[in-house]
């Protein structure tokens, strides 16, 4: 999709002097309209999309936002560009900006995304204002929806704060700027600046630069701090003293909302204090879990995000029973690893694991139960073999699903997104050999 620079595209040295009316080109041409702001690794402009045929497929909207990067301004800028781009492309959610076009090369790097003609929520704090309880509940839902999709894609945001949240103009919110996103497995070899977050909105483990301890709960802490800040009107970037640096004897890293606000919902206060626990182990385990609590407290109808695996609550004893029932030696040994439980998903009779024509988000490995494969509304196969791969080609190639997979009873699977599946194959060659054998058998059957 990316294209080489054209004479219309300014040299990298001219990025600081971009001006209204200037033309840039990716897959499409764009005319710069208004400068929206600058950050550590780039500058953002509103731009007009110049296309001869507005009815053509995959045409960006008439007005877009373009985020430019100057690779020469920082040696790590290109890495950050590719990281943010990969994060945004891999996710599909109403709560995350859509990417339409991009160009990454030594002279000029940018990507084109949805334009939200509103100021970020940091403006609320600058004006000395705050959000009320109802607005905070909606903000919580949208942030958690975005994180549910991101975390399922193996991506941490690691820089959630009011400046990275934009009203969408319809009463909802969008989570922006995945520029320091990381795979869920943040290694000790990562640069120490990666995952550091922003002053006042860093989880305790981020402030201590404990990279090995960063996980989905780190983002949940930042959600709690962000909503706390916007409900109280206190910008933690300017008032970091509110944070309890020494949490000895204190469960949460910030004082209760009730000590800062005249009137606040008890349910909101308790939920935020749970997210803000200083000990990551005391926080909720994931965004989906918190969403369920919000739904129970408010009755808000939360739509299922595209590509999100239907994961129901299940007990540790149920997971142990599934693991012990697996007879295949390869998968039996892999499932005994503690970190594999996060890939588990359960589907009930009639649930679709995936549907024909949908975007490809996960590869499924069948652990127990029976599924049917459907194409064009007709059943073409039934499978109940342990360790069977389902949807792996679509996930690895990014092509739409070629068939639907439906549960014929209770079904347990391991669900891997493309990045997780690639890591699995690289770490366990025996799994790769099993996949090659399976694909060869399918080719023989179809010949």
């Amino acid at each position: 999709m990316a294209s080489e620079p054209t004479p219309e595209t300014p040299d990298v040295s001219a990025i600081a002097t971009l001006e209204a009316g200037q033309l840039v080109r990716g897959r499409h041409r764009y005319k710069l309209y208004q400068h929206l702001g600058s950050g550590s690794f780039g500058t953002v402009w509103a731009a007009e999309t110049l296309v001869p045929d507005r009815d053509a497929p995959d045409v960006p909207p008439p007005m877009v936002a373009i985020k430019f990067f100057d690779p020469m301004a920082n040696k790590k800028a290109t890495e950050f560009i590719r990281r943010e781009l990969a994060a945004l492309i891999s996710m599909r959610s109403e709560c995350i900006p859509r990417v339409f076009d991009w160009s990454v090369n030594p002279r000029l790097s940018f990507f084109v995304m949805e334009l939200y003609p509103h100021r970020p929520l940091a403006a609320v704090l600058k004006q000395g204002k705050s959000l009320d309880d109802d607005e905070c509940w909606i903000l919580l839902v949208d942030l958690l929806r975005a994180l549910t999709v991101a975390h399922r894609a193996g991506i941490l945001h690691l820089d959630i704060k009011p400046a990275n949240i934009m009203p969408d103009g319809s009463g909802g919110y969008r989570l922006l700027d995945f520029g320091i996103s990381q795979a869920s497995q943040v290694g000790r070899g990562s640069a120490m600046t990666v995952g550091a977050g922003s002053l006042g909105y860093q989880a305790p483990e981020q402030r201590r630069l404990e990279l090995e301890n960063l996980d989905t709960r780190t983002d949940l802490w930042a959600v709690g701090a962000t909503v706390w800040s916007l409900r109280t009107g206190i910008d933690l970037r300017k008032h970091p003293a509110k944070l309890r640096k020494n949490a000895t004897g204190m469960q949460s890293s910030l004082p209760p909302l009730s000590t800062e606000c005249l009137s606040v919902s008890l349910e909101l206060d308790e939920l935020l204090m749970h997210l803000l626990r200083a000990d990551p182990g005391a926080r909720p385990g994931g965004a989906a879990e918190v969403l369920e609590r919000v739904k129970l407290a408010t009755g808000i109808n939360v739509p299922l995000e595209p590509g999100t695996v239907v994961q129901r609550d299940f007990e540790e004893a149920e997971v142990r029973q599934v693991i012990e029932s697996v007879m295949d030696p390869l998968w039996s040994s892999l499932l005994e690893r503690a970190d594999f439980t996060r890939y588990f998903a359960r589907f009930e009779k009639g649930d679709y694991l995936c549907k024909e024509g949908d975007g490809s988000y996960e590869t499924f490995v069948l652990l127990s139960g029976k599924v049917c494969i459907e194409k064009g509304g007709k059943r073409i196969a039934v499978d109940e073999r342990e360790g069977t791969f389902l949807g792996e080609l679509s996930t690895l190639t990014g092509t739409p699903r070629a068939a639907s997979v439906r549960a014929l009873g209770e079904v347990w699977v391991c669900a891997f997104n493309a990045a997780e599946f690639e890591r699995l194959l690289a770490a366990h060659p025996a799994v790769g050999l099993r996949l090659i054998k399976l694909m060869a058998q399918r080719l023989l059957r179809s010949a």
Side-chain angles (χ1 to χ4, degrees), residues 5-6 8-18 22 41 43 68-74 77-78 81 105-110:
T6 72
E8 293 174 335
T9 300
D11 290 335
V12 68
S13 59
I15 287 181
T17 58
L18 288 171
Q22 200 158 348
F41 288 90
T43 185
F68 292 93
F69 297 85
D70 182 353
M72 296 184 68
N74 188 300
T78 300
I81 296 166
N105 56 67
R107 294 180 61 196
L108 181 72
S109 293
F110 64 85

Side-chain angles (χ1 to χ4, degrees), residues 354 362-364 389-396 401 405 442:
C354 57
E362 291 92 16
T363 289
F364 304 98
F389 296 95
L390 303 168
E392 73 287 351
L393 288 179
S394 295
T395 302
L396 290 173
R401 298 290 189 189
V405 180
R442 289 176 180 169

Side-chain angles (χ1 to χ4, degrees), residues 230-245:
L230 289 162
R231 181 64 186 87
T232 62
I234 299 171
D235 187 350
L236 293 173
R237 183 175 59 87
K238 296 181 178 178
H239 301 279
K242 286 286 182 182
L243 293 167
R244 295 162 171 169
K245 292 184 171 61

Side-chain angles (χ1 to χ4, degrees), residues 34 57 92 155 176 216 302 321 419:
Q34 181 182 8
R92 294 291 185 273
I155 296 163
L176 313 180
T216 57
V302 181
Q321 185 176 3

Side-chain angles (χ1 to χ4, degrees), residues 312-338:
R312 294 179 169 83
D313 293 332
F314 36 77
E315 302 293 332
E316 185 177 345
E318 295 179 280
V319 173
R320 172 49 50 187
Q321 185 176 3
V322 172
I323 293 174
E324 291 176 351
S325 71
V326 174
M327 304 299 293
D328 183 277
L330 172 60
W331 283 104
S332 179
S333 63
L334 287 175
L335 295 176
E336 287 291 342
R337 294 174 45 179

Side-chain angles (χ1 to χ4, degrees), residues 331-376:
W331 283 104
S332 179
S333 63
L334 287 175
L335 295 176
E336 287 291 342
R337 294 174 45 179
D339 61 340
F340 253 70
T341 58
R342 67 191 179 99
Y343 301 120
F344 273 58
R346 179 176 64 188
F347 295 83
E348 304 293 351
K349 181 178 180 180
D351 286 345
Y352 279 93
L353 282 68
C354 57
K355 291 188 176 182
E356 183 178 359
D358 282 354
S360 302
Y361 298 95
E362 291 92 16
T363 289
F364 304 98
V365 176
L366 187 61
L367 302 180
S368 70
K370 183 185 297 186
V371 299
C372 68
I373 317 299
E374 301 172 346
K375 195 163 186 176

